[in-house]
Amino acid sequence: MRGSFKIGGIHPAPNKTASRTIEILPLPMRASLPLSQHIGAPSKAIVSKGDKVKRGQLIAENSSFVSAGLHAPISGTVAGVEDIKMPWGKTSKAIIIAASEDEHRADSEERERYWRDLIPHICDRTLSERLTADEIRSKILQAGIVGLGGATFPSHVKLAIKPEQKPELLIINACECEPYLMCDDALMCTYPGRIAEGVELMMKAGGIPRAVIAMEDNKPEAAAAISEALQSSENISLRILKTKYPQGGEKQLVEAVTGRRIASGDLPLSVGVVVNNVATAFAVWQAVSTSQALIERVITVTGDISGGERKNYMVAIGTPLSSLPLTLPGEALAIVGGPMMGRSAVCLDAPVMKGTSGLTVLERPQRRQALACVRCGACVDACPMGLEPYLLSTYGRLRMWDEARENDVLDCLECGACSYSCPSNRPILDYIKVAKQRAKL
């Protein structure tokens, strides 16, 4: 029987309707690069207005150990380091780069050659053997790689593991349990051999003896491609899991694969496990093998739009969301990410960032009236962390921050399973998010 986590979970309609091919979206003429687009300290700009930069050049460096560098996705002139609007309306300091026609043409031709010459299915097992762990981590650091599954934790930090911690297992999160999104699915179907190489490199960098690529059973094409790429591997295996949301949650995934539960406030390393996203493994391979920094990523454009527009694109970081090829319905709701954990976008001139996994367009639903709690316990049954969402939500509504903290509000994944399951349409997660933010203070 295919495994899963034991507590809670829901089964929203998957709506995996995008094409599994990856199209290369043209480079933008103007790119905006927020300095804060990962967990940790924002990167520090090392360029100024008027400076000329080349595609792939470092333009902002780490400002602390838990930070990640930023690289130019296009060649051009720095137009400024200024505040820009983020998708959800807040402002953030960003480096703006503007390209000339000649620079844009040269970059586009070089990029086209790069992707054309990339052989997707070859897996060079000797790549990790030729480099030391320190050399691999250094290349990951220099490339500005962060986790691409949503958390955007700097990858060089996650793989800087102390010898005494001795992790037993690297779990590659290929579940992609969020409805609509298919960027990881498409990446596995297209570049399975390169992903396998990336996993080998991560194992070497972290001193981890074996790895499991964990995938939900709704991705048969990706499973077949990865399985073939792993035929000659003795220390990497594929594990197919039951489709259930949020299977891709770090603690849920560790339990599904190993049977071990991570205690409140602990990390996977406490049970001998390191978790990384499958797209991060591909980015690691790119950095080590081709010296390409994290300047572009695959994102899914999908939702209530015409079938021909539901696609996966390789998109340069800094590209305006408004440049993505789709026709927005009149009263559409644009969500950066998926419908469960994504955030509504109020500004589509904002840029694609390292953690942007997709743009989901939905018909704007009629706001349903929130009714009184009927004490059915559906939110408790759905919570994958075994919390009491109705209680935490009440604490948030009544501003009882200490009580929320004492009842483990900080363990909330913000997965939305509670609100999804509530028959009274109560904004359970909204109040929990407020309580969680205040409980951190």
Side-chain angles (χ1 to χ4, degrees):
M1 184 176 179
R2 290 174 176 172
S4 183
F5 55 97
K6 305 301 181 186
I7 299 175
I10 57 175
H11 296 87
N15 290 307
K16 306 281 189 178
T17 55
S19 165
R20 283 186 175 83
T21 59
I22 299 174
E23 294 190 13
I24 309 297
L25 192 74
L27 293 172
M29 292 289 292
R30 185 180 178 91
S32 302
L33 292 308
L35 297 174
S36 181
Q37 50 180 296
H38 55 266
I39 287 179
S43 49
K44 180 182 177 182
I46 57 173
V47 294
S48 304
K49 184 176 181 178
D51 289 349
K52 299 290 288 185
V53 296
K54 296 290 291 181
R55 175 173 157 85
Q57 176 184 328
L58 183 70
I59 56 174
E61 63 186 6
N62 298 38
S63 59
S64 71
F65 178 59
V66 184
S67 185
L70 196 58
H71 300 74
I74 59 174
S75 301
T77 303
V78 176
V81 181
E82 57 194 50
D83 287 333
I84 65 165
K85 273 198 172 182
M86 303 300 279
W88 32 90
K90 291 186 177 180
T91 59
S92 178
K93 192 72 70 178
I95 299 172
I96 317 296
I97 303 173
S100 67
E101 292 286 352
D102 289 342
E103 288 166 329
H104 183 265
R105 187 181 308 109
D107 278 350
S108 299
E109 291 172 355
E110 181 182 349
R111 182 183 186 223
E112 182 182 351
R113 285 193 297 271
Y114 175 87
W115 289 108
R116 184 187 61 221
D117 296 342
L118 198 65
I119 303 174
H121 295 283
I122 287 182
C123 186
D124 179 10
R125 297 293 184 197
T126 67
L127 184 60
S128 63
E129 298 171 3
R130 298 197 301 267
L131 298 169
T132 67
D134 286 341
E135 287 172 332
I136 296 171
R137 286 195 300 269
S138 177
K139 289 179 179 290
I140 292 171
L141 168 64
Q142 293 167 14
I145 295 175
V146 300
L148 298 181
T152 62
F153 193 84
S155 298
H156 68 278
V157 179
K158 184 173 279 193
L159 293 171
I161 302 166
K162 297 176 182 178
E164 62 269 21
Q165 292 177 308
K166 294 182 181 177
E168 305 167 20
L169 181 67
L170 170 65
I171 298 179
I172 299 298
N173 186 351
C175 290
E176 198 167 40
C177 60
E178 178 81 42
Y180 287 97
L181 300 186
M182 294 182 64
C183 50
D184 290 349
D185 192 345
L187 197 60
M188 289 186 286
C189 288
T190 308
Y191 299 106
R194 301 312 191 185
I195 288 169
E197 289 180 73
V199 176
E200 291 272 10
L201 291 164
M202 295 170 100
M203 292 167 63
K204 180 71 171 283
I208 309 169
R210 62 189 184 93
V212 169
I213 299 177
M215 188 186 309
E216 289 190 318
D217 58 12
N218 61 356
K219 302 174 181 62
E221 296 87 352
I226 291 293
S227 181
E228 183 178 352
L230 297 180
Q231 281 185 353
S232 61
S233 177
E234 297 179 356
N235 51 6
I236 307 174
S237 60
L238 174 65
R239 182 76 59 84
I240 303 299
L241 304 174
K242 181 181 178 182
T243 298
K244 184 167 76 166
Y245 179 86
Q247 191 81 263
E250 199 169 57
K251 293 188 176 184
Q252 286 67 40
L253 186 59
V254 170
E255 181 187 356
V257 173
T258 69
R260 304 170 190 170
R261 287 191 60 80
I262 302 169
S264 175
D266 283 350
L267 297 172
L269 201 53
S270 67
V271 295
V273 177
V274 176
V275 180
N276 271 287
N277 177 262
V278 68
T280 312
F282 181 72
V284 166
W285 173 81
Q286 284 186 286
V288 176
S289 181
T290 72
S291 298
Q292 174 156 305
L294 183 53
I295 54 176
E296 52 189 342
R297 64 157 298 157
V298 181
I299 71 171
T300 303
V301 177
T302 185
D304 296 331
I305 50 180
S306 64
E309 293 180 334
R310 300 186 196 119
K311 295 180 180 179
N312 294 285
Y313 296 95
M314 185 65 72
V315 183
I317 308 299
T319 300
L321 292 168
S322 57
S323 295
L324 298 174
L326 76 156
T327 305
L328 283 172
E331 290 297 318
L333 178 67
I335 301 169
V336 179
M340 296 301 294
M341 296 188 73
R343 299 178 66 180
S344 297
V346 297
C347 177
L348 289 181
D349 289 331
V352 169
M353 297 191 291
K354 292 181 180 183
T356 305
S357 54
L359 185 67
T360 305
V361 179
L362 301 177
E363 292 183 6
R364 191 175 295 274
Q366 273 192 329
R367 184 175 293 276
R368 295 179 296 178
Q369 182 181 1
L371 305 175
C373 174
V374 295
R375 294 170 175 79
C376 64
C379 61
V380 177
D381 292 338
C383 180
M385 292 303 297
L387 303 175
E388 297 178 290
Y390 72 90
L391 180 63
L392 297 175
S393 180
T394 299
Y395 287 146
R397 180 169 56 84
L398 299 178
R399 303 186 177 189
M400 299 170 68
W401 320 129
D402 291 339
E403 289 80 358
R405 188 185 303 108
E406 290 166 5
N407 283 270
D408 301 322
V409 71
L410 295 178
D411 284 347
C412 174
L413 301 177
E414 301 183 22
C415 67
C418 53
S419 293
Y420 179 89
S421 62
C422 179
S424 295
N425 308 319
R426 296 183 67 77
I428 299 174
L429 181 59
D430 293 343
Y431 284 121
I432 291 177
K433 284 182 177 180
V434 174
K436 187 176 176 181
Q437 290 171 353
R438 297 305 296 264
K440 291 178 179 178
L441 300 178

